[in-house]
Amino acid sequence: MAGILAWFWNERFWLPHNVTWADLKNTDEAAFPQAEDLYLACPLAFCIFMIRLVFERFIARPCALGLKIQANGPQKAQPNAILEKVFTAITKHPDEKRLEGLSKQLDWDVRTIQRWFRQRRNQEKPSTLARFCESMWRFTFYLYIFTYGVRFLKKTPWLWNTRECWYDYPYQPLTADIHYYYILELSFYLSLLFSQFTDIRRKDFLIMFLHHLATISLITFAYVNNMARVGTLVMCLHDSADVLVEAAKMANYAKFQRLCNLLFVMFAMVFISSRLGVYPVWILNTTLFESWEIVGPYPSWWVFNLLLILLQFLHSFWSYLIVKIACRAISRGKVSKDDRSDIESSSDEDNGPPPTPVQKHHNSTTNGTNKAHGTNGYLSAGAPCLDEH
């Protein structure tokens, strides 16, 4: 085990040439980032998750009810023991052959069985109230951490001159403000990583999982090898758009359509300008070129920049989705559908009453053509927006 740890913490990987871990030990004169500082993030992530549960129950939920947001979930499927057994024990997405077999067994129309399975899948999705509570929690955290980041950074020299991120590197002392900023951000994203398996399931689940891993890795890398200054710039830049997207979601759930549309436009402008403009010109420029000139590359420098470039690809993907949503909104007059929809719907009949057993030889159901509204992902009835980052 000692050999593995020695290999992992190899100084020639993590630190610039001629720098050792001994050079970065804490002294009476100065404190430097230590890897063991990050252990605090794990129990703190659990605490943040518990705070979230309390916040959603005693603060967000009363606010939602005050805005007359109902706790009703999607339409419930009609109870049926045979279909329920297939759904729970065999498959939630029966193929054509199984649908035909069930149709003969129940003497139901295939279309009715398909609708039953769709409603049964939707039945497991959270209500609008639950979505509002989740968004209000994230909005509150992002607003706090973004405000903290701005107030802290405006007093630092590297906000105004990014070359300051690399002068005297890696012997830049760790301040209490930076330590608090990093531990809190890391703890929050660890809590998001774990809660992703219990939160509302998105179509971009894997993309968001990859994003959280990349974010956690970047925060860890920046802290361990004392790239803390440029890391604070990255974190604050990313938090700027997250505040607006969560606000837009809350406005949508509360059916404040005009406010939702306005917030979505603001979010789209901030997201695209910060992720496709400021991020590559300001952040990538200093991590790739200014650091190369002042410090020079070393192994973990390459890894750090590869992670930043990976984040840029994710930015481009999400910007494409935002532009796609905006174009559709212009054509329809409002933003109305999220590409990452949670609730399934295929026709107007999904808005009707639960399916009733229909004899196959009757002309019982017609296949509508209009998409059902009010059943999308993050913004379930109005302006859909992408998640943080």
Side-chain angles (χ1 to χ4, degrees), residues 9 24-26 31-44 174-176 178-180 182-184 186-187 190 220 223-224 226:
W9 293 111
L24 300 177
K25 287 295 183 183
N26 292 335
F32 299 100
Q34 306 296 315
E36 52 267 26
D37 296 345
L38 300 180
Y39 295 155
L40 178 62
C42 292
L44 189 56
L174 177 70
T175 65
I178 295 179
H179 178 264
Y180 173 78
Y182 267 83
I183 296 299
L184 192 58
L186 180 59
S187 302
L190 282 173
T220 302
Y223 190 87
V224 168
N226 206 14

Side-chain angles (χ1 to χ4, degrees), residues 265-336:
V265 171
M266 293 172 61
F267 159 73
M269 293 174 61
V270 172
F271 187 96
I272 294 174
S273 62
S274 63
R275 310 300 172 88
L276 299 187
V278 177
Y279 181 82
V281 172
W282 193 40
I283 301 296
L284 292 183
N285 176 67
T286 191
T287 61
L288 286 170
F289 302 111
E290 292 179 350
S291 66
W292 181 294
E293 176 186 344
I294 298 172
V295 179
Y298 52 97
S300 68
W301 178 94
W302 290 102
V303 175
F304 183 71
N305 278 286
L306 283 175
L307 289 170
L308 291 175
I309 293 171
L310 169 63
L311 210 54
Q312 182 61 67
F313 281 114
L314 293 177
H315 294 164
S316 301
F317 170 74
W318 283 316
S319 296
Y320 160 75
L321 290 182
I322 292 172
V323 171
K324 185 178 178 181
I325 293 169
C327 291
R328 184 165 49 211
I330 293 172
S331 64
R332 293 182 179 180
K334 71 171 184 177
V335 187
S336 61

Side-chain angles (χ1 to χ4, degrees), residues 203-216:
K203 282 185 177 180
D204 67 344
F205 175 88
L206 291 178
I207 294 292
M208 288 307 302
F209 187 77
L210 177 62
H211 169 268
H212 294 333
L213 285 179
T215 303
I216 291 169

Side-chain angles (χ1 to χ4, degrees), residues 82-103 105-106 108-122 344:
I82 295 175
L83 295 181
E84 185 68 26
K85 183 177 180 181
V86 173
F87 183 87
T88 56
I90 301 176
T91 178
K92 297 181 180 181
H93 300 270
D95 55 23
E96 185 177 348
K97 183 178 180 181
R98 189 175 298 278
L99 287 171
E100 290 290 345
L102 291 170
S103 176
Q105 183 178 359
L106 296 172
W108 283 21
D109 185 84
V110 170
R111 174 64 178 165
T112 302
I113 297 175
Q114 288 177 324
R115 185 157 63 123
W116 188 95
F117 273 93
R118 182 165 55 251
Q119 289 184 336
R120 183 64 182 84
R121 290 192 294 268
N122 288 342
E344 306 172 63

